[in-house]
Amino acid sequence: RSPSAGKLLQYLVDDGGHVFAGHRYAEIEVMKMVMALTVEESGCVHFVKRPGACLEQGCTVAKMELDDPKKLHAVQLYTGVFEPQQSLTIAGEKLHQVFHTMLENLVNVMNGYCLPDPYFSSKVKKWITKLMST
């Protein structure tokens, strides 16, 4: 994956070529600097992007076929409990500041960031009321 936004300059190995752990497989340009992309495990690299492609942060540049698939760790679902969120302060008292703060809170809720159940309903009602009154 690309560590930051930039441009893919070149691959340093052939498509399907073998790369050892810690070796470079591609170079990207970020803010006029050249960064090397390295692999963490040994395996074969298969290209996803073409040289010259614009990259966003976190986008897939190439896929790896690991020599030892046992080194791949499965993702585990977090089942712990998050600490309750502190009350969100209003950034300012001016009308546009209040409006943007309430709107940002509601956009975060729509993006899936929710407060624990006892607080969720009351906070959302408060934010909507405050947003509609501005």
Side-chain angles (χ1 to χ4, degrees):
R1 295 193 179 271
S2 177
S4 60
K7 179 181 176 182
L8 178 60
L9 293 178
Q10 65 179 343
Y11 286 104
L12 304 175
V13 296
D14 294 328
D15 190 18
H18 191 270
V19 182
F20 293 101
H23 286 128
R24 305 175 336 165
Y25 70 95
E27 291 180 339
I28 63 172
E29 179 183 336
V30 179
M31 297 176 60
K32 303 295 181 191
M33 295 183 293
V34 176
M35 290 179 55
L37 301 181
T38 59
V39 295
E40 294 180 20
E41 298 293 336
S42 298
C44 294
V45 177
H46 299 283
F47 304 159
V48 173
K49 301 279 187 182
R50 293 182 184 186
C54 291
L55 306 173
E56 295 180 16
Q57 182 178 2
C59 75
T60 303
V61 177
K63 294 188 178 191
M64 282 284 297
E65 186 179 315
L66 297 177
D67 288 344
D68 186 8
K70 293 177 185 173
K71 291 189 176 184
L72 184 66
H73 302 290
V75 177
Q76 295 180 359
L77 181 63
Y78 177 73
T79 57
V81 178
F82 292 108
E83 295 180 18
Q85 183 179 1
Q86 301 295 323
S87 61
L88 299 174
T89 57
I90 296 175
E93 297 299 323
K94 294 182 180 178
L95 191 60
H96 72 281
Q97 293 170 328
V98 173
F99 173 80
H100 285 292
T101 301
M102 296 303 115
L103 184 61
E104 182 180 355
N105 292 342
L106 292 170
V107 166
N108 285 337
V109 168
M110 295 302 291
N111 286 334
Y113 298 101
C114 297
L115 296 170
D117 205 12
Y119 309 104
F120 180 74
S121 299
S122 63
K123 287 286 187 183
V124 170
K125 286 178 187 175
K126 177 182 169 187
W127 293 336
I128 290 174
T129 305
K130 191 78 166 177
L131 180 71
M132 299 308 281
S133 68
T134 56

